Amino acid sequence: MFSIVLSDLLKHMRSYIIFPQVEDLPTVKGDFYALGHIPKIIGAIDGTHVALVPPRRSEQVYRNRKSYHSKNVQMVCLADQYISHVNAKFPGSVHDAYFLQNCSIPYVMGQLQRHRVWLLGDSGYPNLSWLLTPVRNPRTRAEEHYIEAHGRNQRIIERTFGLLKARFRCLHMIGGSLFYSPKKVCQIIVACCMLHNLALRRQVPFLQEDGPDGSVVAAVEPVDSEDEEAEEEDMDNRNTVILKYFQ
C-alpha cells in the first residue's frame, strides 16, 4: 500500500515542486532582496544528507564524510522556504560541484540568463555566471558587506532543511536510517518535499514535538556542509556584483 501511495503521489511532482517561471521572477527577487539586499536572486542552493541502510554490494559508495551512510540531497529553495528543485539521485559520497554538473539547474538557469538572475551557493559550489558564492578571503569593506548579505540569504536553505526534517522525522538523524532501497529513499525524499510545499501553500502550522531526551527538536538544524571548496570559475561576475552593489 505504501508503494502505491508513493507512486501515485510522485505522478504529481511537477505540480508541487516548481522552479520560478519568468512571470514569477519579480516577486521571487523581491522576497530575496528583503532578506539580504542582494538583487536578482531567485534561489538558494545546497545539499544535505538523509541517512539510509546501504546495499551490501555498494556500502562504501553511500558512506559520507561524517562516516555514516546517506543520500546526498541537493535542493533549491525560495525566500519563503518553498522547495523549487530537488535532486536525491546520488549517494552520500557525491560532492556539491558534481551534483551541479548532473542536474537540470544549469540548463534552466541558462534559459533565464537574459533576465540576469542568480542562485546563491556556499563555497562547495563553483562561482558561475548564474551562481554567486562567498568570497573566501575578503580584503575590502565591500567584500565583507557582500559576505554578510550572502550569508543572510544563504541561511534560508539551512532553515528549509531544518523545517523539512522537523516535519518529516524519517529524514532526520533522530528518526534513524531509512530501511528501503536507494531508489525508494529517493522517492520518499521527493514526496516529503512535495508535502512540505503543500503545507506551506496551505499555511499548515508547524508544531514542534518533544524529542527523545525531553527537549524540543528545533525547526532549524545546521546543514551538512562539505569541507572541500570548489574551484573558482567566474570571479568577474561576482566582482561585478560586489563593485556595483556593495561599495
Side-chain angles (χ1 to χ4, degrees):
M1 179 62 71
F2 174 63
S3 295
I4 294 173
V5 172
L6 190 60
S7 177
D8 286 346
L9 184 61
L10 292 173
K11 291 177 183 177
H12 303 282
M13 183 185 73
R14 295 186 184 277
S15 297
Y16 291 95
I17 300 177
I18 307 170
F19 203 80
Q21 305 299 299
V22 172
E23 59 270 21
D24 304 321
L25 296 183
T27 299
V28 174
K29 289 188 293 185
D31 291 344
F32 268 106
Y33 188 80
L35 284 181
H37 293 91
I38 301 179
K40 303 180 181 180
I41 301 301
I42 64 166
I45 187 171
D46 206 351
T48 189
H49 293 276
V50 173
L52 55 69
V53 176
R56 291 184 179 180
R57 294 182 179 180
S58 54
E59 176 270 337
Q60 200 61 31
V61 176
Y62 289 89
R63 185 178 296 277
N64 62 38
R65 296 185 177 203
K66 296 188 177 181
S67 296
Y68 67 91
H69 301 99
S70 67
K71 275 278 191 179
N72 192 357
V73 187
Q74 179 181 261
M75 297 185 197
V76 178
C77 76
L78 307 185
D80 64 354
Q81 298 181 272
Y82 177 92
I83 296 169
S84 60
H85 172 83
V86 58
N87 187 348
K89 295 180 180 179
F90 296 104
S93 59
V94 170
H95 189 260
D96 289 345
Y98 180 85
F99 244 129
L100 201 61
Q101 296 169 2
N102 292 274
C103 72
S104 61
I105 290 296
Y107 173 79
V108 174
M109 291 303 295
Q111 297 298 302
L112 293 174
Q113 273 305 280
R114 64 188 181 89
H115 299 281
R116 296 299 299 165
V117 293
W118 298 295
L119 297 181
L120 289 179
D122 64 18
S123 57
Y125 289 98
N127 200 59
L128 304 172
S129 61
W130 48 266
L131 178 60
L132 298 177
T133 61
V135 176
R136 296 177 186 174
N137 300 297
R139 295 184 176 88
T140 67
R141 289 290 295 171
E143 290 179 343
E144 291 175 355
H145 291 157
Y146 165 78
I147 290 176
E148 292 172 2
H150 188 286
R152 287 194 295 272
N153 275 312
Q154 182 67 18
R155 279 192 289 273
I156 194 64
I157 187 68
E158 299 176 13
R159 292 197 292 270
T160 300
F161 288 145
L163 178 57
L164 176 69
K165 291 183 178 183
R167 282 190 188 276
F168 302 99
R169 297 297 173 81
C170 63
L171 306 183
H172 197 293
M173 285 294 292
I174 65 170
S177 300
L178 287 168
F179 284 80
Y180 297 98
S181 68
K183 180 180 179 180
K184 181 160 285 189
V185 169
C186 176
Q187 293 173 336
I188 291 170
I189 293 167
V190 173
C192 289
C193 292
M194 293 171 61
L195 295 173
H196 164 86
N197 285 348
L198 181 62
L200 288 180
R201 290 297 180 252
R202 296 195 176 180
Q203 299 182 328
V204 177
F206 169 71
L207 302 177
Q208 291 179 331
E209 299 175 1
D210 290 338
D213 59 352
S215 62
V216 174
V217 178
V220 179
E221 66 171 16
V223 65
D224 296 311
S225 59
E226 304 285 359
D227 295 330
E228 182 180 344
E229 293 183 333
E231 293 295 323
E232 298 285 3
E233 293 192 17
D234 193 346
M235 290 187 294
D236 288 343
N237 173 63
R238 186 178 63 193
N239 290 341
T240 299
V241 172
I242 294 172
L243 292 174
K244 185 173 182 179
Y245 300 109
F246 293 96
Q247 282 285 27

